[in-house]
């Protein structure tokens, strides 16, 4: 039997108009890379910053570019997104924080909303942590997906717009008592990076489009045309292995 396969794309930053530096072509290439995988993934999660400016035309373009995907596609908001615009175009039910639970084979995917509307930094306040905890079941291997990684990555400009203490610590405490959470998967930092919190692995996926250069400690944020990547998370023997597939 094929293990559960969850593909991850992140931060497409779709732009429509003269300022665009190739975001649509880049997302199309990532979609083609997902469709070239064998076996095909059971689902795809896109970990936020779907649109660069949160405009309806950008969501429309993203929707067209994602249409070739034949499996369920799970969306969540990043700091660049308009939560309502994303929810409306991709028909995500509910209101308030855009968060929900999906099943990917034997894996439970808990899609979290870390957006702090109007700000670039993320939030995991008490209400959201309580919501996450309520979605967990001790017997079900789970992946938590969110935009902002709940760890520092050593790039100060990005760490300054991450999830602040004490919310990171509070999530770490929840994860330390929730070993069924096999991984936290995120985006936002425009690099493939890995850390841990509360004994749980945290994986950040590269952007489908522009990357943050690997300049540890740099006070500047630049985005450059470095090779992109997608990820494939594979549920194996009750655990999870996360592969990075460069494009
Ligand atoms: Fe981003
Ligand atoms: Fe972001």
């Amino acid at each position: 039997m094929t293990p559960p396969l969850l593909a991850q794309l992140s931060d497409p930053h779709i732009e429509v108009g003269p300022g665009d530096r190739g975001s649509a072509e880049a997302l199309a290439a990532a979609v083609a890379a997902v469709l070239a995988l064998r076996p095909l993934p059971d689902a795809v999660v896109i970990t936020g910053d779907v649109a660069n400016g949160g405009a309806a035309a950008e969501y429309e373009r993203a929707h067209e570019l994602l249409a070739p995907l034949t499996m369920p596609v799970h969306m969540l908001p990043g700091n660049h997104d308009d939560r309502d615009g994303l929810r409306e175009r991709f028909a995500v039910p509910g209101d308030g924080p855009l968060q929900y639970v999906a099943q990917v084979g034997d894996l439970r995917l808990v899609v979290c909303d870390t957006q702090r509307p109007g700000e670039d930094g993320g939030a995991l306040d008490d209400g959201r942590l309580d919501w996450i905890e309520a979605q967990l079941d001790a017997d079900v291997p789970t992946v938590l997906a969110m935009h902002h990684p709940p760890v520092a990555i050593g790039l100060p400009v990005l760490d300054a717009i991450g999830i602040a203490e004490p919310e990171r610590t509070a999530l770490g405490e929840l994860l330390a008592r929730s070993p069924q959470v096999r991984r936290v998967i995120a985006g936002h930092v425009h690099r493939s990076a890995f850390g841990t919190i509360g004994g749980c692995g945290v994986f950040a996926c590269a952007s489908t489009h522009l990357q943050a250069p690997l300049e540890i400690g740099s006070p500047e944020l630049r985005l450059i045309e470095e090779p992109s990547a997608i990820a494939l998370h594979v549920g194996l023997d009750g655990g999870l292995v996360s592969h990075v597939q460069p494009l």
Side-chain angles (χ1 to χ4, degrees), residues 166-247:
E167 294 176 352
R168 280 184 202 168
T169 299
L171 177 67
E173 287 167 1
L174 169 59
L175 294 173
R177 60 177 188 270
S178 310
Q180 73 272 38
V181 179
R182 306 297 198 233
R183 192 82 80 248
V184 178
I185 63 172
H188 187 54
V189 295
H190 291 237
R191 293 204 60 77
S192 300
F194 190 84
T196 60
I197 182 171
C200 182
V202 176
F203 172 77
C205 186
S207 166
T208 59
H209 186 203
L210 300 173
Q211 314 306 327
L214 185 54
E215 295 170 345
I216 297 299
S218 170
E220 248 192 292
L221 176 62
R222 298 187 295 128
L223 290 173
I224 60 170
E225 290 176 5
E226 204 173 66
S228 174
I230 62 172
L232 185 69
H233 306 286
V234 184
L236 279 178
D237 301 330
L240 194 85
V241 64
S242 296
H243 290 266
V244 175
Q245 175 65 53
L247 299 188

Side-chain angles (χ1 to χ4, degrees), residues 11 13 49 78-80 120 147-148 188-190:
D11 295 80
H13 284 261
D49 286 354
N79 49 304
H80 281 260
D120 286 323
H147 181 63
H148 299 82
H188 187 54
V189 295
H190 291 237

Side-chain angles (χ1 to χ4, degrees), residues 21-246:
R21 292 164 66 188
S23 60
E25 292 81 354
L27 180 55
V31 166
V34 170
L35 291 173
L37 293 169
R38 290 294 177 275
L40 279 174
D42 299 299
V44 177
V45 60
I46 304 192
T47 41
D49 286 354
V50 177
N52 195 55
E58 295 171 340
Y59 290 119
E60 192 58 43
R61 188 78 181 105
H63 191 267
E64 287 167 11
L65 291 160
L66 295 170
L69 294 172
T70 50
M71 63 292 287
V73 179
H74 304 296
M75 312 297 289
L76 64 86
N79 49 304
H80 281 260
D81 287 308
D82 175 69
R83 191 187 270 162
D84 295 334
L86 180 66
R87 172 173 266 139
E88 190 179 315
R89 188 61 198 89
F90 289 89
V92 184
D95 52 23
L98 199 164
Q99 50 195 17
Y100 52 93
V101 174
Q103 201 66 28
V104 182
D106 297 340
L107 283 176
R108 179 173 296 182
L109 175 67
V110 176
V111 174
C112 311
D113 181 339
T114 53
Q115 194 191 58
R116 202 187 275 276
E119 289 182 41
D120 286 323
L124 278 175
D125 48 39
D126 289 349
R128 298 188 221 205
L129 286 169
D130 290 348
W131 179 84
I132 291 170
E133 188 158 22
Q135 312 315 310
L136 302 180
D137 179 326
D139 299 324
V140 182
T142 297
V143 174
L144 291 188
M146 58 186 67
H147 181 63
H148 299 82
V151 292
I153 63 151
L155 299 175
V157 181
L158 288 167
D159 289 338
I161 55 168
I163 290 172
E165 293 291 5
E167 294 176 352
R168 280 184 202 168
T169 299
L171 177 67
E173 287 167 1
L174 169 59
L175 294 173
R177 60 177 188 270
S178 310
Q180 73 272 38
V181 179
R182 306 297 198 233
R183 192 82 80 248
V184 178
I185 63 172
H188 187 54
V189 295
H190 291 237
R191 293 204 60 77
S192 300
F194 190 84
T196 60
I197 182 171
C200 182
V202 176
F203 172 77
C205 186
S207 166
T208 59
H209 186 203
L210 300 173
Q211 314 306 327
L214 185 54
E215 295 170 345
I216 297 299
S218 170
E220 248 192 292
L221 176 62
R222 298 187 295 128
L223 290 173
I224 60 170
E225 290 176 5
E226 204 173 66
S228 174
I230 62 172
L232 185 69
H233 306 286
V234 184
L236 279 178
D237 301 330
L240 194 85
V241 64
S242 296
H243 290 266
V244 175
Q245 175 65 53

